[in-house]
């Protein structure tokens, strides 16, 4: 039978090199009275101990996937905004403005989900400044946005698709930020319960254009000119985003430090972080154009679209998708890549989408995610609006897809 070998270790030694003292079997026998024993200074007999250093390799650090968060470890929009404020990325006032917009989006989402039940489908019977028939929810959503921004106490000027001119918030409730928005994008989809959304952009304050006015007062020509002058290029945006109303309600925005998405959890009514620092793929196999207007497009653009429909190196052509809602198009593109275009045509010389509160905020998001946005010749964010409701052509998407398009248009 083998004999046990006692081992003595010193804990203060490193794991890479440990001095280990072992008793040999013969020494073990001597300690039990067998063999020679040698007295020490005290006259007692002790076993001879042989010590030697033994090299032991330190264990390699564990390599593997990052530990997953607990299913209960979630971060809501409010917490995320407070962290950004504490880090100095945004100030407290911008935090409040973004929170007020998210509240408006929750209210609009609730109305859309019940629109058929509470008779909010169909036309309002009015026409907006662009000559478009307004849906009932166009008008109501605009009021919700305005009220939430007004009550935040941090908004000075509001510009909306549904308002003829920008609205200066009365001094009692006035703040500094300028907010532009489209309360319901794709409102033609409401009656058929298809994808819709809200778009917003936030600009820095312009204190020269804040006025003490009442609800019933009117602005003189000089004041109107000053308010309209707040039309700034998209490169001046401090924050921009959208809220998607579909199978999920998704609040996506950027404060200039990447793109983040928060999905509404209906269980407790909170936007929860679901997509961090979104990066658009460099290329994609989906294109989105309203090809019902194909015969009205420029010949160069027609050639581009014709080539997309031809089989590529993998034997497959691009897939055509068209939702009829800019928010839905951009949301899909952020996640899977591709290209979206709303070009000018023979009937719409300047395109169909508004620059200030549709194209600029969406272009800002796309660029923050690594994509590109152009009007066919120049970067969308470099265009300074001359009018509040100015329209522009737009092509937006994965960088490689936009580069490919530019070769056709040049």
């Amino acid at each position: 039978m083998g004999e046990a070998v006692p081992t003595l270790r010193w804990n203060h030694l490193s794991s890479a090199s440990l001095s280990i003292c072992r008793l040999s079997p013969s020494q073990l026998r001597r300690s039990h009275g067998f063999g020679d024993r040698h007295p020490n200074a005290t006259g007692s007999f002790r076993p001879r101990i042989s010590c030697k250093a033994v090299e032991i390799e330190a264990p390699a650090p564990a390599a593997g996937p990052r530990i997953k968060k607990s299913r209960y470890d979630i971060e809501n929009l409010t917490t995320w905004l407070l962290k950004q404020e504490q880090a100095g990325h945004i100030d407290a006032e911008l935090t409040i403005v973004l929170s007020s917009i998210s509240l408006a989006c929750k209210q609009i989402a609730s109305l859309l989900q019940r629109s058929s039940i509470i008779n909010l489908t169909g036309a309002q019977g009015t026409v907006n400044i662009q000559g478009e028939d307004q849906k009932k929810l166009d008008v109501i959503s605009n009021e919700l946005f305005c009220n939430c921004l007004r009550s935040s106490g941090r908004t000075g000027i509001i510009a909306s698709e549904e308002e003829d001119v920008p609205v200066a918030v009365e001094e009692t409730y006035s703040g500094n930020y300028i907010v532009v928005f489209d309360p319901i994008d794709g409102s033609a989809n409401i009656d058929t319960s298809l994808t819709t959304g809200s778009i917003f952009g936030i600009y820095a304050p312009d204190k020269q254009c804040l006025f003490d006015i009442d609800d019933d007062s009117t602005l003189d020509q000089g004041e109107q000119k000053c308010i309209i002058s707040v039309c700034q290029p998209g490169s001046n945006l401090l924050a921009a985003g959208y809220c998607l109303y579909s199978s999920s309600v998704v609040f996506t925005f950027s404060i200039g430090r990447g793109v983040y998405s928060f999905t509404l959890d209906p269980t407790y009514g909170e936007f929860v972080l679901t997509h961090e620092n979104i990066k658009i793929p460099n290329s994609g196999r989906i294109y989105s154009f309203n090809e019902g207007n194909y015969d009205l497009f420029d010949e160069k653009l027609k050639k581009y679209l014709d080539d997309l429909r031809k089989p590529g190196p993998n034997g497959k052509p691009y897939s055509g998708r068209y939702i009829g809602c800019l928010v839905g198009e951009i949301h899909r593109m952020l996640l899977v890549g591709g290209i979206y275009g709303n070009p000018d045509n023979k009937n719409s010389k300047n395109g169909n989408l508004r620059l200030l509160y549709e194209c600029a905020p969406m272009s800002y998001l796309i660029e923050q995610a690594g994509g590109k946005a152009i009007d066919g010749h120049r970067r969308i964010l470099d265009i300074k609006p001359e009018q509040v409701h100015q329209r522009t052509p737009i092509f937006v998407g994965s960088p490689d897809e936009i580069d490919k398009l530019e070769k056709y248009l040049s």
Side-chain angles (χ1 to χ4, degrees):
M1 240 178 120
E3 299 180 76
V5 180
T7 300
L8 305 178
R9 297 177 183 263
W10 284 266
N11 292 331
H12 67 276
L13 296 176
S14 68
S15 59
S17 177
L18 296 179
S19 290
I20 301 178
C21 293
R22 300 179 184 276
L23 293 178
S24 66
S26 60
Q27 291 168 338
L28 188 61
R29 284 193 297 270
R30 291 192 191 104
S31 67
H32 288 81
F34 301 99
D36 296 333
R37 290 186 296 175
H38 303 275
N40 58 14
T42 60
S44 61
F45 291 91
R46 305 257 182 190
R48 290 179 179 175
I49 298 176
S50 172
C51 295
K52 64 178 179 177
V54 180
E55 294 293 329
I56 300 177
E57 293 185 1
R66 188 175 59 180
I67 298 175
K68 293 183 179 180
K69 293 182 179 179
S70 163
R71 57 178 295 192
Y72 303 107
D73 185 13
I74 62 175
E75 185 173 6
N76 65 14
L77 177 61
T78 302
T79 302
W80 189 88
L81 287 173
L82 289 175
K83 286 183 178 179
Q84 301 307 306
E85 182 185 337
Q86 290 169 356
H89 299 154
I90 57 176
D91 60 25
E93 293 197 347
L94 186 55
T95 298
I96 294 172
V97 172
L98 287 167
S99 295
S100 67
I101 292 173
S102 72
L103 175 60
C105 292
K106 289 179 186 179
Q107 296 176 2
I108 293 170
S110 176
L111 292 176
L112 284 168
Q113 290 171 348
R114 298 179 292 128
S115 58
S116 297
I117 300 172
I118 57 181
N119 194 29
L120 286 181
T121 56
Q124 175 74 8
T126 56
V127 178
N128 65 16
I129 188 65
Q130 292 91 32
E132 301 167 338
D133 292 329
Q134 290 180 306
K135 299 287 186 180
K136 292 177 183 178
L137 274 171
D138 279 326
V139 177
I140 295 172
S141 299
N142 185 66
E143 285 296 316
L144 286 173
F145 252 91
C146 289
N147 289 340
C148 285
L149 290 169
R150 177 176 174 271
S151 62
S152 73
R154 301 297 185 274
T155 308
I157 298 175
I158 298 169
S160 167
E161 180 185 15
E162 308 302 331
E163 300 285 350
D164 294 354
V165 296
V167 177
V169 178
E170 57 268 29
E171 189 177 26
T172 305
Y173 300 98
S174 181
N176 294 325
Y177 287 100
I178 300 163
V179 181
V180 298
F181 61 90
D182 179 359
I184 291 284
D185 172 59
S187 57
N189 289 344
I190 293 175
D191 293 354
T192 51
S193 302
L194 298 178
T195 301
T196 55
S198 299
I199 306 171
F200 66 89
I202 304 173
Y203 289 92
D206 186 345
K207 295 183 179 179
Q208 295 179 349
C209 288
L210 298 180
F211 305 104
D212 183 10
I213 62 172
D214 299 322
D215 289 336
D216 298 330
S217 66
T218 57
L219 301 177
D220 61 33
Q221 187 174 2
E223 291 173 336
Q224 287 185 9
K225 183 178 180 181
C226 189
I227 287 183
I228 292 176
S229 73
V230 304
C231 295
Q232 303 177 42
S235 55
N236 289 358
L237 280 162
L238 297 179
Y242 62 80
C243 190
L244 173 77
Y245 310 115
S246 186
S247 57
S248 296
V249 179
V250 186
F251 188 72
T252 303
F253 69 100
S254 173
I255 56 172
R257 303 179 66 86
V259 180
Y260 294 78
S261 281
F262 297 77
T263 302
L264 184 64
D265 188 332
T267 306
Y268 48 87
E270 287 282 352
F271 281 112
V272 176
L273 180 62
T274 51
H275 298 80
E276 296 186 56
N277 200 21
I278 299 172
K279 294 297 180 185
I280 187 171
N282 289 329
S283 61
R285 301 296 298 178
I286 294 177
Y287 74 99
S288 180
F289 288 74
N290 183 358
E291 294 189 88
N293 293 328
Y294 177 85
D295 290 337
L296 303 176
F297 291 159
D298 178 80
E299 292 301 322
K300 294 179 180 179
L301 182 59
K302 286 183 181 180
K303 178 67 168 61
Y304 168 75
L305 293 174
D306 290 343
D307 287 351
L308 291 185
R309 290 193 289 264
K310 296 176 182 177
N314 62 354
K316 297 181 180 179
Y318 278 61
S319 296
R321 301 282 187 273
Y322 189 73
I323 300 174
C325 170
L326 180 60
V327 170
E329 309 284 5
I330 297 298
H331 185 73
R332 180 189 62 228
M333 192 184 311
L334 282 171
L335 300 180
V336 301
I339 185 169
Y340 167 80
N342 195 313
D344 54 353
N345 58 61
K346 294 177 182 178
N347 293 340
S348 301
K349 298 297 183 181
N350 297 316
N352 297 301
L353 297 178
R354 267 69 56 166
L355 172 61
L356 183 64
Y357 42 79
E358 290 179 324
C359 295
M362 289 307 207
S363 299
Y364 179 83
L365 275 182
I366 288 293
E367 289 200 5
Q368 283 291 316
K372 291 185 176 181
I374 61 173
D375 69 349
H377 307 285
R378 54 183 170 167
R379 179 173 173 247
I380 290 290
L381 295 184
D382 290 336
I383 305 174
K384 185 181 187 303
E386 297 177 359
Q387 299 176 354
V388 175
H389 302 291
Q390 178 177 328
R391 297 174 188 262
T392 183
I394 184 172
F395 303 95
V396 60
S398 298
D400 290 353
E401 303 303 327
I402 297 298
D403 291 343
K404 180 179 178 180
L405 170 68
E406 287 184 301
K407 293 177 182 178
Y408 282 82
L409 299 181
S410 61

